[in-house]
Amino acid sequence: MDYGRSERPAGAAPLPTAIKILIAGGFGVGKTTLVGAVSETRPLRTEEVLTETGVGIDDLSGVEEKTTTTVAMDFGRITLSDDLVLYLFGTPGQDRFWFVWDELALGAIGAVVLADTRRLADCFPSIDYFEGRGTPFVVAVNCFEGAKQYRLDEVQGALDLDPDVPVVLCDARERESVKEVLITLLEYAMKLREERRRAAAD
């Protein structure tokens, strides 16, 4: 008898497909909030209080009231259907924690780059990273109160994105808004995967 293998009972429902998604973006853009808003389980967070150690390193411009920061990752889970479960990994936003990105990115089907129009340039490191890896991503503009609103095509142009890369509005505090962003990413990632499969077959 093979004690190293666990057999599923006959007639048992198939296990759902697990999909890994990264939530990226600049410091203080709302990644932890987004994961917490949509996760059906209590999200795992690795936040630490900002201290004098980060003075001159962490840019607090536009987020002066922020008192904590993610130092490793945020983790959450959402079930979209009986056969589809998403696992969300929120990346740290500061440059000094970039060394964990490669580990977090392993096996990810795609990424959400969360954007704040007040600090749009903070998106560029994330966008460059995913473009370099060939990882599908969408840009989700987090609608902060009091921030100037721009047309989505203006955001796309400012970030110099490929015209096919989806840019959407969202409220990182609202579960349904975040779900729509994730669905947009899944549809885009599946579209790219099919296009690549066809290109390889030609």
Side-chain angles (χ1 to χ4, degrees):
M1 181 178 293
D2 183 2
Y3 290 98
R5 172 186 292 180
S6 60
E7 300 289 345
R8 291 184 59 75
L15 292 173
T17 299
I19 293 179
K20 181 179 182 180
I21 290 176
L22 297 186
I23 310 298
F27 179 56
V29 76
K31 299 181 295 294
T32 299
T33 299
L34 184 149
V35 173
V38 78
S39 180
E40 62 197 16
T41 61
R42 184 176 180 179
L44 170 66
R45 293 173 174 169
T46 57
E47 288 194 309
E48 295 293 341
V49 176
L50 289 169
T51 65
E52 292 182 0
T53 304
V55 175
I57 300 176
D58 298 328
D59 183 6
L60 294 177
S61 301
V63 286
E64 290 83 1
E65 295 182 359
K66 186 173 175 60
T67 59
T68 60
T69 183
T70 299
V71 297
M73 67 174 185
D74 299 309
F75 173 77
R77 184 187 74 192
I78 175 174
T79 301
L80 289 184
S81 64
D82 291 340
D83 59 354
L84 184 61
V85 177
L86 306 184
Y87 292 95
L88 310 180
F89 291 78
T91 64
Q94 304 97 307
D95 293 349
R96 58 196 171 109
F97 296 123
W98 272 90
F99 64 91
V100 304
W101 277 57
D102 288 342
E103 292 295 329
L104 291 178
L106 288 175
I109 193 175
V112 174
V113 177
L114 202 57
D116 179 351
T117 57
R118 300 169 300 181
R119 297 176 294 125
L120 205 54
D122 290 356
C123 293
F124 283 118
S126 299
I127 290 171
D128 290 344
Y129 181 84
F130 295 126
E131 286 181 340
R133 291 179 64 96
T135 301
F137 68 92
V138 302
V139 173
V141 179
N142 194 7
C143 298
F144 287 92
E145 294 181 7
K148 183 177 179 180
Q149 300 297 308
Y150 295 89
R151 299 194 314 270
L152 295 182
D153 63 306
E154 291 179 310
V155 174
Q156 191 166 47
L159 294 175
D160 195 26
L161 297 173
D162 185 282
D164 291 335
V165 175
V167 180
V168 297
L169 298 175
C170 81
D171 184 337
R173 302 167 299 180
E174 298 294 334
R175 177 180 174 86
E176 291 304 314
S177 180
V178 175
K179 283 178 64 176
E180 288 299 319
V181 172
L182 297 175
I183 291 171
T184 298
L185 172 61
L186 288 176
E187 292 174 344
Y188 179 59
M190 289 187 290
K191 173 188 172 186
L192 286 185
R193 177 171 291 189
E194 180 62 18
E195 289 175 352
R196 292 169 180 172
R197 185 190 67 78
R198 291 178 179 177
D202 290 341

